[in-house]
Amino acid sequence: MKRQNVRTLSLVVCTFTYLLIGAAVFDALESDTESKRWEVLSAMKNGLVRKYNITPEDYHMIEIVIIENKPHKAGPQWKFAGAFYFATVVLAMIGYGHSTPVTVGGKAFCMAYAMVGIPLGLVMFQSIGERLNKFASVVIRRAKCYLRCETTEATEMNLMFATGMLSSIIITTGAAVFSRYEGWSYFDSFYYCFVTLTTIGFGDYVALQNDQALTSKPGYVALSLVFILFGLAVVAASINLLVLRFMTMQAEENARDEDKEGSRTMLPIDGHPIASRQRSHDDQASAGSRYGTYDTGGYAHMHRTAYAVCSCDCLGNKQCEGGALLPSERAPRALRRRASLAMAPDLVERASV
């Protein structure tokens, strides 16, 4: 089985194992609390029904009214401020679920709007992330120059550290702001910021949903939108660097695998095998400017060389003498002399095809 297939299968197994571990941990942490909350709510429901003699139909109607009335505590959800907030959540793929279109036209437009807006938002966040990474690389280089480091180039690890620190600062600062305005605990605010900027968007905590905030606090609305857009760009830049690092590692492994698959052993000459690599189109095109070496043991090893292959591997532009591999005329004179010494006639016999 190829290494690429093994790697893919390993990723699938690791992902499902991670899912199973996560499910087991959430079960252990949340299951007992869920059962206890259900028991308390059921007892309260039964008490209210008995106390006020509420029929099951009336109680169901009360539930519907309370649930449907909850989003309106923040004010009109579909005036311009609320609609802009909703459009931002759609474009950023957060999807709190705090308000949803109910008309056929609204649902149809939402689908069309998301089809165009989501790719546009991804490109915008990616572009902002690239600019942030560029700015971070400039700052890192200048800092290294100031500190007189041996290497002044910004490495991937430096950029990942810088964007990770900036993401942490944004999340912690945003948590303090939302804790102040929403009345949440700092941990709940931190949880909200993390869930928002990673586009998970459970909707259990949603900003701008209390005390008519959408209409009475325009500054807070603007701050929330800036936090979402800028924070998503920074976190996206940090996550993209991490993903690109893994993709680069995988590409390097794939290249090594292809090199191993492309390498082969030519027919022996006087009992000594000639190791050869299959040359790519780029190697063949630039063969005139790349030269290989003969090792001291008399083996001709071709590393993207200007040497032509003889006998059964003729690729054109070859020079042959008794079946031996000789350098091209474009090779330097010293290299040709060295090759002629290494491939002396008494050591070379023509390879049989």
Side-chain angles (χ1 to χ4, degrees):
M1 184 180 294
K2 293 183 178 180
R3 289 186 61 184
Q4 293 91 334
N5 297 335
V6 174
R7 187 182 304 112
T8 301
L9 182 61
S10 300
L11 287 173
V12 172
V13 173
C14 289
T15 301
F16 275 96
T17 303
Y18 193 73
L19 290 172
L20 293 173
I21 293 173
V25 172
F26 284 124
D27 184 7
L29 294 175
E30 298 291 335
S31 181
D32 292 340
T33 303
E34 181 188 32
S35 300
K36 293 177 181 178
R37 291 183 64 185
W38 171 247
E39 292 175 359
V40 171
L41 291 173
S42 299
M44 293 178 64
K45 172 187 174 182
N46 295 330
L48 289 173
V49 169
R50 287 194 302 267
K51 181 178 180 179
Y52 297 101
N53 195 21
I54 303 174
T55 62
E57 292 78 10
D58 291 339
Y59 186 84
H60 181 65
M61 185 61 64
I62 293 173
E63 284 183 326
I64 294 175
V65 171
I66 293 175
I67 293 174
E68 294 294 330
N69 189 54
K70 183 178 180 180
H72 297 280
K73 293 190 299 180
Q77 292 288 320
W78 296 107
K79 295 297 182 181
F80 184 79
F84 191 86
Y85 185 57
F86 173 81
T88 303
V89 169
V90 170
L91 186 140
M93 295 188 298
I94 299 174
Y96 291 127
H98 65 289
S99 62
T100 54
V102 294
T103 64
V104 175
K107 294 176 181 178
F109 179 75
C110 181
M111 291 186 288
Y113 181 82
M115 289 292 293
V116 178
I118 290 176
L120 179 63
L122 291 175
V123 173
M124 181 194 71
F125 293 134
Q126 178 68 23
S127 180
I128 295 175
E130 290 176 356
R131 295 302 92 202
L132 289 173
N133 290 334
K134 178 65 176 179
F135 176 76
S137 65
V138 172
V139 173
I140 292 172
R141 284 200 301 268
R142 292 186 178 181
K144 286 187 173 182
C145 290
Y146 179 78
L147 297 175
R148 297 181 181 180
C149 297
E150 295 181 359
T151 58
T152 58
E153 293 297 325
T155 63
E156 288 184 356
M157 293 302 297
N158 296 147
L159 291 175
M160 291 172 62
F161 177 77
T163 54
M165 287 295 296
L166 184 57
S167 301
S168 300
I169 292 172
I170 291 175
I171 292 177
T172 52
T173 305
V177 173
F178 287 112
S179 178
R180 166 70 175 81
Y181 282 95
E182 296 291 340
W184 301 330
S185 67
Y186 184 81
F187 181 80
D188 290 338
S189 299
F190 189 93
Y191 167 78
Y192 162 77
C193 293
F194 180 84
V195 168
T196 296
L197 297 186
T198 52
T199 69
I200 299 174
F202 290 126
D204 49 350
Y205 289 92
V206 183
L208 304 174
Q209 297 300 297
N210 295 318
D211 303 327
Q212 304 289 321
L214 289 172
T215 56
S216 62
K217 299 178 181 178
Y220 179 47
V221 174
L223 179 63
S224 300
L225 295 176
V226 170
F227 168 80
I228 291 175
L229 294 176
F230 182 71
L232 280 174
V234 175
V235 173
S238 179
I239 294 177
N240 283 343
L241 284 174
L242 184 61
V243 172
L244 287 174
R245 177 59 182 166
F246 284 114
M247 292 179 65
T248 301
M249 294 170 59
Q250 184 175 358
E252 291 174 352
E253 292 181 1
N254 291 340
R256 287 194 295 267
D257 294 343
E258 291 177 359
D259 288 343
K260 290 181 181 179
E261 292 177 0
S263 62
R264 57 192 176 84
T265 303
M266 295 177 59
L267 294 176
I269 297 178
D270 194 21
H272 299 289
I274 300 177
S276 172
R277 288 179 179 269
Q278 291 182 343
R279 299 186 299 175
S280 63
H281 295 293
D282 294 339
D283 297 335
Q284 295 177 24
S286 59
S289 59
R290 300 175 184 173
Y291 306 99
T293 59
Y294 288 94
D295 60 19
T296 57
Y299 300 100
H301 193 69
M302 301 176 62
H303 291 285
R304 302 177 181 176
T305 63
Y307 299 100
V309 183
C310 184
S311 297
C312 58
D313 265 358
C314 292
L315 297 178
N317 296 326
K318 64 179 181 293
Q319 292 190 359
C320 173
E321 183 176 339
L325 299 178
L326 295 180
S328 171
E329 289 294 340
R330 290 174 290 183
R333 182 179 299 175
L335 187 60
R336 292 200 301 259
R337 289 183 60 189
R338 183 180 177 185
S340 63
L341 292 176
M343 305 296 291
D346 57 337
L347 299 177
V348 178
E349 295 179 3
R350 180 172 182 80
S352 60
V353 180

